[in-house]
Amino acid sequence: MEDTTGKVITCQAAVAWEAKKPLVIETVEVEPPKAGEVRIKILYTGVCRSDAFFLNGSDPRKPFPFILGHEGGGIVESVGEGVTTVKPGDHVIPLYVPQCNECKFCKSPKSNLCDEMGIKYVKGVMPDGTSRFKCKGKPVYHLMGCSTFSQYTVVTETSVTKVNPSAPLDKVCLLGCGISTGYGAALNTAKVEPGSTCAIWGLGGVGLAVAMGCKEAGASRIIGVDINPDKFELGKKFGLTEGVNPKDHDKPIQDVLVGMTDGGLDFTFECIGNVACMRAALESCHKGWGVATVIGVAPAQQEISTRPFQLVTGRVWQGSVFGGWKSKDSIPKLVDSYMNKKILVDEFVSNNINLNQINEAFDLMHSGKSIRTVVKLW
Ligand code: PAD
Ligand code: ZN
């Protein structure tokens, strides 16, 4: 194989030129990694609802054009000066929540946010303020520090972690976001207890992974709430014990659930990004101790509301990003959990397609027919 170290690589990528328009497969130039950066040959990537969120322009701060994708798996091609934790040939997963180990968030056991996750990730540039991608002579921005819808990408060393090389990257790429997010929200953020009752709004990749976490924690009831009833049968293998479709009820869904659970749930999770569902998830919690965890990402201008008495009487409203995992340390362990058959991953893959069909992955997601579509880059 030709040695590409230090050279600009020309390859294929799916570029988002403007909001709400299909991605376009383009020939892009990917610059070599600068100090502290890593260039990765991406082999597979998942397509997550958060990619659709950015493509729809739901975060107005994000400038176009950019390269989406943050559920990737690949092999390190070359590393910039000073990089010590990965080397060429390593199998890696990019991390949309970085871990620098130096900021106050990384130093605190209370949070997995990292200072690097701030504006520069939204702006889509590397730490020196520039992008490593060019298309037709113009810069193309990164997304969340990953941009895995490209055959090659450049990330900072803080946004990539080395994983077991025997793990199939066409499966474990999904641990880069959705599965880890839901599973960790149940175990790390909510800390679901044995025998507890749980309800999950939205049975996509994230919600089904929440179910898997609730099951592992020993929950006695795991109720799925979704407007697509096809998801209920599907959810059983992830731990769902029953399903409720809000469309089947005239009453508000919170009243239905409180009635079904002797006063409310111990733990609820919102995995849609819908502020009305976030409210319903809080108000379905049991008085005195129910905990509602928000995972879904709502459009930037939206707000949540409830009567404050809901909180005064002991319900807790909290949120979770990337399942509370300190990313660089935890993802290799989750890959090992998959290899040891402790967590499901294969079951989340409903479709496999090639890069040139990537827009179909969005169609499948919007149709509700897939949990995750895995895209083969080569
Ligand atoms: P998905 O689109 O695969 O699944 C969403 C599910 O919600 C589908 O089954 C829908 O049928 C269902 N749904 C939609 N509207 C309603 C409604 N009004 N009532 C009940 N059910 C409904 O998405 P996903 O699982 O990939 O992602 C879910 C959310 O999580 C989304 O907002 C995404 O942006 C967010 C997310 N957050 C993080 C994080 O770290 N916080 C990480 C990854 C994804
Ligand atoms: Zn995601």
Side-chain angles (χ1 to χ4, degrees), residues 48-50 70-71 96 144 177-178 372:
C48 168
R49 175 65 60 176
S50 306
H70 59 282
E71 274 186 354
Y96 76 91
M144 298 202 283
C177 179
R372 278 292 190 269

mmCIF file of all heavy atoms in Angstrom, residues 48-50 70-71 96 144 177-178 372, ligand 2:
data_model
loop_
_atom_site.group_PDB
_atom_site.id
_atom_site.type_symbol
_atom_site.label_atom_id
_atom_site.label_comp_id
_atom_site.label_asym_id
_atom_site.label_seq_id
_atom_site.Cartn_x
_atom_site.Cartn_y
_atom_site.Cartn_z
ATOM 1 N N CYS A 48 -27.112 8.277 12.795
ATOM 2 C CA CYS A 48 -27.857 8.524 14.046
ATOM 3 C C CYS A 48 -28.830 9.681 13.838
ATOM 4 O O CYS A 48 -28.647 10.523 12.969
ATOM 5 C CB CYS A 48 -26.831 8.865 15.128
ATOM 6 S SG CYS A 48 -27.483 9.545 16.661
ATOM 7 N N ARG A 49 -29.860 9.722 14.646
ATOM 8 C CA ARG A 49 -30.837 10.819 14.605
ATOM 9 C C ARG A 49 -30.139 12.180 14.768
ATOM 10 O O ARG A 49 -30.567 13.176 14.200
ATOM 11 C CB ARG A 49 -31.862 10.581 15.732
ATOM 12 C CG ARG A 49 -32.889 11.636 15.938
ATOM 13 C CD ARG A 49 -33.847 11.841 14.797
ATOM 14 N NE ARG A 49 -34.635 10.685 14.435
ATOM 15 C CZ ARG A 49 -35.586 10.689 13.499
ATOM 16 N NH1 ARG A 49 -35.866 11.810 12.844
ATOM 17 N NH2 ARG A 49 -36.239 9.594 13.219
ATOM 18 N N SER A 50 -29.057 12.214 15.522
ATOM 19 C CA SER A 50 -28.344 13.488 15.708
ATOM 20 C C SER A 50 -27.741 13.985 14.386
ATOM 21 O O SER A 50 -27.574 15.189 14.203
ATOM 22 C CB SER A 50 -27.240 13.357 16.760
ATOM 23 O OG SER A 50 -27.776 12.843 17.958
ATOM 24 N N HIS A 70 -20.895 10.406 13.260
ATOM 25 C CA HIS A 70 -20.163 10.341 14.534
ATOM 26 C C HIS A 70 -20.292 8.962 15.171
ATOM 27 O O HIS A 70 -20.118 8.812 16.373
ATOM 28 C CB HIS A 70 -20.679 11.443 15.479
ATOM 29 C CG HIS A 70 -22.138 11.307 15.761
ATOM 30 N ND1 HIS A 70 -23.094 11.710 14.870
ATOM 31 C CD2 HIS A 70 -22.798 10.774 16.796
ATOM 32 C CE1 HIS A 70 -24.272 11.428 15.350
ATOM 33 N NE2 HIS A 70 -24.135 10.848 16.532
ATOM 34 N N GLU A 71 -20.648 7.936 14.349
ATOM 35 C CA GLU A 71 -20.695 6.564 14.868
ATOM 36 C C GLU A 71 -19.794 5.739 13.969
ATOM 37 O O GLU A 71 -20.267 4.947 13.160
ATOM 38 C CB GLU A 71 -22.124 5.998 14.781
ATOM 39 C CG GLU A 71 -22.983 6.327 15.952
ATOM 40 C CD GLU A 71 -24.352 5.643 15.922
ATOM 41 O OE1 GLU A 71 -24.708 4.996 14.940
ATOM 42 O OE2 GLU A 71 -25.077 5.782 16.918
ATOM 43 N N TYR A 96 -17.464 11.532 19.835
ATOM 44 C CA TYR A 96 -18.045 12.871 19.681
ATOM 45 C C TYR A 96 -18.043 13.641 20.990
ATOM 46 O O TYR A 96 -18.107 14.863 20.997
ATOM 47 C CB TYR A 96 -19.443 12.816 19.049
ATOM 48 C CG TYR A 96 -20.551 12.376 19.975
ATOM 49 C CD1 TYR A 96 -21.279 13.302 20.716
ATOM 50 C CD2 TYR A 96 -20.877 11.038 20.092
ATOM 51 C CE1 TYR A 96 -22.298 12.908 21.556
ATOM 52 C CE2 TYR A 96 -21.896 10.634 20.934
ATOM 53 C CZ TYR A 96 -22.594 11.574 21.659
ATOM 54 O OH TYR A 96 -23.600 11.174 22.501
ATOM 55 N N MET A 144 -18.909 17.638 15.159
ATOM 56 C CA MET A 144 -18.700 17.070 16.492
ATOM 57 C C MET A 144 -17.330 16.385 16.611
ATOM 58 O O MET A 144 -17.171 15.389 17.311
ATOM 59 C CB MET A 144 -19.817 16.080 16.862
ATOM 60 C CG MET A 144 -21.179 16.750 16.921
ATOM 61 S SD MET A 144 -22.353 15.852 17.918
ATOM 62 C CE MET A 144 -22.812 14.536 16.873
ATOM 63 N N CYS A 177 -21.924 6.043 19.529
ATOM 64 C CA CYS A 177 -22.969 6.975 19.991
ATOM 65 C C CYS A 177 -24.171 6.248 20.585
ATOM 66 O O CYS A 177 -24.219 6.006 21.775
ATOM 67 C CB CYS A 177 -23.401 7.948 18.899
ATOM 68 S SG CYS A 177 -24.697 9.069 19.474
ATOM 69 N N GLY A 178 -25.135 5.891 19.733
ATOM 70 C CA GLY A 178 -26.467 5.515 20.212
ATOM 71 C C GLY A 178 -26.517 4.458 21.307
ATOM 72 O O GLY A 178 -27.175 4.660 22.328
ATOM 73 N N ARG A 372 -30.704 1.013 13.294
ATOM 74 C CA ARG A 372 -29.494 1.652 12.803
ATOM 75 C C ARG A 372 -29.136 1.070 11.443
ATOM 76 O O ARG A 372 -29.218 -0.139 11.236
ATOM 77 C CB ARG A 372 -28.305 1.405 13.747
ATOM 78 C CG ARG A 372 -28.260 2.344 14.943
ATOM 79 C CD ARG A 372 -27.954 3.764 14.483
ATOM 80 N NE ARG A 372 -27.681 4.660 15.590
ATOM 81 C CZ ARG A 372 -28.601 5.399 16.229
ATOM 82 N NH1 ARG A 372 -29.870 5.339 15.893
ATOM 83 N NH2 ARG A 372 -28.241 6.217 17.207
HETATM 84 ZN ZN ZN B 2 -25.414 10.037 17.721
#
